[in-house]
Amino acid sequence: MSPNRIIKVENTEITIFNTSEGQDFFSITDMLKAKDGDFFVTDWLRNRNTLEFLGAWESLHNKNFNYGEFAIIRNQAGLNNFKISVKEWVERTNAIGIVAKTGRYGGTFAHKDIAMQFCMWISPVFQLYVIKEYERLKEIEFNQYNIEWNVRRVLAKSNYRIHTDAIDKYVIPTLTIGQKREWIYADEADVLNIALFGCTAKQWRVANPERAARNENIRDMASINELLILTNLENLNADLIKRGVEKKDRIRILSQTANEQRNLLDQVDVIKSLKKLDDKTLPDAHKQIEDK
């Protein structure tokens, strides 16, 4: 689960968390603060229209949904004494669209689809404001992703020419019969992989067959800091090659350098250090939303 984000709608702060499956869940406990009077989530949940919507949503997204229990609950809706809690709803129907969290940041959270329906129960105007703020959050996060993608692309290419040039001038001419140029390039790439990641590209593919099947490689999984270190290692390895340093010694020197730089850069968030581009492109997206 990723860190919580907060959007502010008409002076009401609404917490959003993202699940490991990449789904956004809104705190409807927070949303309830925007409704006039004393109301509770159970007041919304006892409504027959609400139950019909929840049942429809679960039928589309939840293969383990208990339709038998749902039918019993739905038939009871509308009776004066009918009331059901979130906990009971989840336990009886195996629902996944609503969750109750305990602890300091606890409360009732609902999948974004359900949360938007809950907003309508509060008021149509409130729902529109929530949609607007959520869209703004996603736009900021999308721009943040684009910034990171571009940084990765630039870093990956920056010192590549220096590294390959050193290989062309000082390693390729020493090829023995039977050796191929592409083998040398792959071998030198693995010198950097071992120094930075502790394994070769092939070892990574064997350990990550699903990602390898998607044509992903060890460097696709690297962080911004690791890619920054990689560009520095490319430059350093090129210099060591020119000086005729043996491979085993180069790996030792490069590994030591990688560890030293990692310890330093782990204290710096490169993305947050980038210059703000405009009102919709800010690396620290979560802070922009919270500070609004």
Side-chain angles (χ1 to χ4, degrees), residues 176-217:
T176 59
I177 297 176
Q179 289 183 305
K180 297 182 179 180
R181 292 171 62 96
E182 56 267 28
W183 293 355
I184 299 299
Y185 287 118
D187 187 57
E188 287 300 330
D190 273 336
V191 167
L192 302 177
N193 291 335
I194 292 170
L196 182 58
F197 305 112
C199 65
T200 66
K202 181 178 180 180
Q203 289 170 334
W204 183 89
R205 289 194 298 271
V206 171
N208 300 273
E210 292 183 1
R211 288 179 171 175
R214 297 195 296 266
N215 292 320
E216 295 176 348
N217 61 58

Side-chain angles (χ1 to χ4, degrees), residues 35-232:
K35 190 170 179 64
D36 294 331
D38 295 327
F39 291 94
F40 304 93
V41 175
T42 50
D43 294 323
W44 167 73
L45 197 55
R46 67 182 300 190
N47 184 283
R48 188 179 184 87
N49 290 333
T50 297
L51 293 174
E52 291 284 1
F53 179 86
L54 294 178
W57 189 92
E58 295 288 344
S59 67
L60 289 173
H61 300 89
N62 183 5
K63 63 180 180 180
N64 296 317
F65 186 57
N66 190 325
Y67 292 96
E69 282 296 322
F70 168 67
I72 295 173
I73 294 172
R74 181 180 55 187
N75 289 337
Q76 293 174 339
L79 299 177
N80 292 334
N81 62 348
F82 173 72
K83 204 166 193 177
I84 186 170
S85 67
V86 171
K87 181 180 179 181
E88 184 181 359
W89 165 256
V90 173
E91 289 179 348
R92 290 178 60 180
T93 66
N94 295 322
I96 61 173
I98 302 179
V99 296
K101 297 177 62 180
T102 59
R104 181 180 177 184
Y105 301 103
T108 300
F109 288 78
H111 184 276
K112 67 178 187 298
D113 299 342
I114 298 172
M116 295 307 166
Q117 198 271 354
F118 184 82
C119 290
M120 174 64 79
W121 180 68
I122 293 176
S123 82
V125 173
F126 182 75
Q127 182 191 46
L128 292 173
Y129 277 125
V130 170
I131 292 173
K132 180 180 178 180
E133 283 303 301
Y134 181 61
E135 288 177 345
R136 191 172 74 88
L137 169 63
K138 300 308 290 184
E139 183 176 1
I140 291 171
E141 291 180 339
F142 178 74
N143 286 331
Q144 178 188 20
Y145 171 82
N146 281 339
I147 291 173
E148 184 167 344
W149 186 87
N150 279 298
V151 170
R152 286 175 179 267
R153 181 172 58 84
V154 171
L155 289 177
K157 295 174 66 175
S158 60
N159 280 345
Y160 177 76
R161 179 63 183 273
I162 296 174
H163 192 239
T164 55
D165 183 68
I167 296 172
D168 286 338
K169 289 182 178 179
Y170 300 96
V171 180
I172 297 298
T174 66
L175 285 179
T176 59
I177 297 176
Q179 289 183 305
K180 297 182 179 180
R181 292 171 62 96
E182 56 267 28
W183 293 355
I184 299 299
Y185 287 118
D187 187 57
E188 287 300 330
D190 273 336
V191 167
L192 302 177
N193 291 335
I194 292 170
L196 182 58
F197 305 112
C199 65
T200 66
K202 181 178 180 180
Q203 289 170 334
W204 183 89
R205 289 194 298 271
V206 171
N208 300 273
E210 292 183 1
R211 288 179 171 175
R214 297 195 296 266
N215 292 320
E216 295 176 348
N217 61 58
I218 189 171
R219 299 186 184 187
D220 290 332
M221 303 299 106
S223 67
I224 292 295
N225 285 353
E226 286 174 330
L227 288 176
L228 180 58
I229 295 171
L230 179 61
T231 64
N232 294 335

